[in-house]
Amino acid sequence: MASTTTQSSSVLPSSTSGTMMRDIFFWKKKKQSSLVLLISTATWVLLQFYQFNFVTVLSWVAMVIVVSLFLWGNLLRLFGKETKELLSGEEITVESALKVAMALRTWTEESIRWMFKVGAQSDLLTFASTLFGLWLLSQVGNYFDFLTIQYIGIVMGMTLPVIYSKYEDNIKRLSEGVKKQLHRYYDMFDEKVIKKVTSMMGTTTTSSTTTTTPTPTPTLEKEKKVD
């Protein structure tokens, strides 16, 4: 058990857990990036415009792959080559599988940490902006289906990181200005609304406690005087 953990840690250092996806989204591996964008675009066009079923498209892709491999194998036999030697290197290595698994694990852990941070540890402005973003996403979901939203997310993920890395200074300057303006509006709202509401609630509670205190009635003294 200890050998497997040491092997996995030696094979996959912590710094290379998400390098594969990062390189694809930042177009450092142009072949893989263009392949992802081409496959996602073709899938979206076939399913959205031509109204094909996902199972049908998947079956057609599998049929094309099987027929291509069949023709390729027969051509190799005609030239007197063995297919076993060529197919021996076509396998998923332990290193690549561990990289994908660790990338999914880190993404899931970061998502859970972000949800706990926004819900329990962040300030009111971050909480409100997160709720507004989720509400906006729900409104977008009323006009687009899941496939279109997923395709838009892939295209934005393939283009926005490149734009951000190219215009990073200008975007940071603009975001800092927007954050300062939002904090200014939040401080004004806090002073004019929240503090007044809390003070009014405090005065109403104190007045209610003073009005509810019972006053003694002098009924016994009146009865004694009558007697």
Side-chain angles (χ1 to χ4, degrees):
M1 187 72 181
S3 62
T4 56
T5 55
T6 54
Q7 183 181 359
S8 63
S9 62
S10 62
V11 169
L12 211 168
S14 60
S15 61
T16 60
S17 59
T19 52
M20 186 194 306
M21 299 298 294
R22 195 179 299 112
D23 291 339
I24 290 174
F25 281 106
F26 279 94
W27 289 84
K28 292 182 180 180
K29 296 181 178 180
K30 294 183 178 181
K31 291 183 179 180
Q32 288 84 351
S33 301
S34 58
L35 185 63
V36 169
L37 191 60
L38 180 63
I39 290 173
S40 59
T41 304
T43 305
W44 181 71
V45 169
L46 288 174
L47 297 180
Q48 191 69 24
F49 285 98
Y50 293 99
Q51 299 296 322
F52 286 112
N53 194 2
F54 179 73
V55 178
T56 304
V57 175
L58 189 64
S59 301
W60 286 354
V61 171
M63 288 167 61
V64 170
I65 292 173
V66 170
V67 171
S68 300
L69 290 175
F70 177 76
L71 295 175
W72 178 60
N74 287 327
L75 287 174
L76 288 178
R77 291 189 191 94
L78 285 176
F79 289 107
K81 295 181 180 180
E82 294 184 359
T83 58
K84 292 182 179 179
E85 294 179 357
L86 296 175
L87 292 175
S88 61
E90 301 295 329
E91 61 182 5
I92 299 174
T93 60
V94 178
E95 184 179 357
S96 60
L98 285 173
K99 284 182 179 179
V100 174
M102 289 297 293
L104 291 174
R105 178 189 173 188
T106 52
W107 182 80
T108 306
E109 288 179 351
E110 289 296 328
S111 301
I112 294 172
R113 288 195 191 98
W114 176 78
M115 285 190 291
F116 275 100
K117 183 179 179 181
V118 170
Q121 298 178 1
S122 62
D123 54 353
L124 184 60
L125 182 61
T126 306
F127 178 73
S129 60
T130 305
L131 284 183
F132 177 75
L134 293 174
W135 175 81
L136 188 63
L137 182 62
S138 66
Q139 295 300 315
V140 170
N142 292 327
Y143 299 98
F144 300 100
D145 55 355
F146 179 72
L147 181 64
T148 305
I149 293 174
Q150 190 175 9
Y151 176 70
I152 292 171
I154 292 173
V155 173
M156 289 177 66
M158 301 289 289
T159 54
L160 289 181
V162 180
I163 296 172
Y164 180 79
S165 62
K166 190 175 182 180
Y167 303 100
E168 185 175 359
D169 296 331
N170 296 326
I171 293 172
K172 283 184 177 180
R173 197 179 302 115
L174 181 63
S175 63
E176 287 176 358
V178 171
K179 284 181 181 179
K180 288 179 180 179
Q181 193 70 25
L182 289 175
H183 278 291
R184 191 178 297 114
Y185 288 149
Y186 174 73
D187 293 334
M188 292 171 60
F189 179 77
D190 191 11
E191 291 180 358
K192 293 182 178 181
V193 178
I194 296 177
K195 289 183 179 179
K196 287 184 179 180
V197 170
T198 53
S199 63
M200 289 173 63
M201 290 177 64
T203 54
T204 53
T205 52
T206 53
S207 63
S208 63
T209 52
T210 54
T211 54
T212 54
T213 53
T215 57
T217 55
T219 54
L220 295 175
E221 294 181 355
K222 289 182 179 181
E223 290 178 356
K224 289 180 180 180
K225 288 181 180 180
V226 171
D227 293 336

